Amino acid sequence: MPPKRSAAASGLTAAAPGLTGAAAAVAVAVAVHLLLPALPAMTLAVLLGLLAANLPGVSGWTAGPARPGLDFAGKHLMRAGIVLLGLKVSLGDVLGLGWAALLLVTAVVLAAFAGTYGISRLFRLPPRVALLVATGFAICGASAIGAMAAVRKIRQEETVLPVALVTLCGTLAIGVLPLLARPLGLGPELFGAWTGASVHDVGQVVATAQTAGTAALAVAVVVKLTRVILLAPMVAAAGFHHRLGTAADGAKRPPVIPLFVIGFVALAALRTTGWLSPAVLDAAAALQDLLLGMALFGLGSAVRVRQLVHTGARALLAALASWLLIALLGLAAAFLMFPPA
């Protein structure tokens, strides 16, 4: 028993600098978000991680003493944040869209996933990176990338580029989509449906949709959370496929459905019961933001811009092409959900 305690204590000591730095970065990201609501805190957390990894004087800290804690955040805190994400999903709100809208959103997610994977492979991205990019773009950004990487046993280093791409394109949507609303003649509900169906991260959806008012925001959040619900079956299907592959080569088989996916579904079901008070939900949302923010800072801190520029040109073109595809798919679905009078 004492050696185990000693190992746990030394592991905690090694992780402390990185975890402390990640928590401080999230506090800065939230403060900036409060001053500039158009900038989502999660996007800022990734950008702060990128800065920390590439600024002289700080980069040595992220690559050295802070690395164990930052890697822990990128892996384990990401999974914990995904579990808590379930508390944002009310199945009642989602079902309120109606079956036709649910089928449309599901079709958009599947088409976006297949299309983004195909585009990524066309630009010669490695299959595992293409899978992560497709998952993040089609479902819910960095959270989906972390979930897919976990079930497919993809190394954390390989998630860095997909997270950077999904953050970049989601941030692009915040600026571009509101500018297109008036030329396209989109009313609040139609614009909200387009935003919820095509923007990647939940925070980015909120930042984009709120520019068109509360009606747009309400529709956007429900449509987006419908996409979030699809995280569970998509990741479970990928895990099952991976399990079959490992069974064929005799390797140790992973669980059919990872525990964090089960936790996500369980908390979504709990939220749907209506038993939880607004205060509890607010506290859980704050904790989820902290965990995901620390995880995203950890992932961002592993990105070296010089390497990204050298290896990421094709990936950037693939991401922009995928972003355009999903925007068009989402717009088509929005017109079908809320046809103009």
Side-chain angles (χ1 to χ4, degrees), residues 246-257:
T246 54
D249 61 21
K252 182 181 178 182
R253 292 191 294 179
V256 177
I257 303 177

Side-chain angles (χ1 to χ4, degrees), residues 229-251:
I229 282 180
L230 295 173
L231 174 67
M234 292 281 282
V235 168
F240 182 71
H241 180 267
H242 184 58
R243 180 182 172 88
L244 292 177
T246 54
D249 61 21

Side-chain angles (χ1 to χ4, degrees), residues 273-298:
T273 64
W275 294 342
L276 301 178
S277 68
V280 171
L281 293 175
D282 288 344
L287 179 58
Q288 186 227 345
D289 286 346
L290 174 63
L291 295 175
L292 284 184
M294 291 175 68
L296 292 174
F297 178 82

